[in-house]
Amino acid sequence: MAASAEDCYSGGLDRDGWRRHKAELNGKYRRIRVEVRDLRIKLISSERAIMHFDQEYGSGRHYDYGRKTLQIVKRDERWRIKNETRVPLKGRKPS
């Protein structure tokens, strides 16, 4: 959560809701594997950027593959995630 802006939101959750969701996942799955492919970053201004990438996510009981978009903002000289969205992608099998 250190990479998240104080006013971040994702999937209808604010920062506290997102923190609880991530803590639940971390407690539920013993091992989580994340791979990022095809990272693209577009600088909007000196304090805003958009990142796009394909993400493969796997744990003991769950697998998905999707395209993520992160809106990031620069706060206190550090880049922070303001918003995150994901669109499922088809055609990949767990590796």
Side-chain angles (χ1 to χ4, degrees):
M1 294 302 301
S4 299
E6 289 297 321
D7 57 346
C8 73
Y9 60 96
S10 179
L13 300 173
D14 64 7
R15 189 170 199 258
D16 289 335
W18 193 245
R19 178 184 291 130
R20 285 190 299 275
H21 172 69
K22 292 296 187 179
E24 180 182 323
L25 289 178
N26 288 335
K28 189 176 187 180
Y29 301 121
R30 184 174 177 164
R31 191 177 125 213
I32 297 173
R33 182 182 58 80
V34 177
E35 288 189 32
V36 172
R37 295 182 182 89
D38 196 22
L39 174 65
R40 298 171 309 278
I41 302 171
K42 180 178 182 181
L43 193 61
I44 305 299
S45 72
S46 62
E47 297 185 357
R48 286 187 39 209
I50 297 177
M51 300 172 64
H52 300 278
F53 55 91
D54 296 346
Q55 176 181 284
E56 185 176 354
Y57 175 99
S59 69
R61 296 179 282 185
H62 179 75
Y63 172 83
D64 72 42
Y65 185 63
R67 178 153 300 132
K68 287 242 180 152
T69 300
L70 303 181
Q71 294 179 27
I72 58 176
V73 293
K74 197 169 193 179
R75 305 250 170 93
D76 299 323
E77 300 302 314
R78 293 190 61 206
W79 288 100
R80 309 277 185 173
I81 300 168
K82 169 82 173 172
N83 179 267
E84 175 180 321
T85 58
R86 182 189 157 282
V87 176
L89 295 175
K90 304 286 184 207
R92 278 197 71 87
K93 302 286 184 208
S95 49

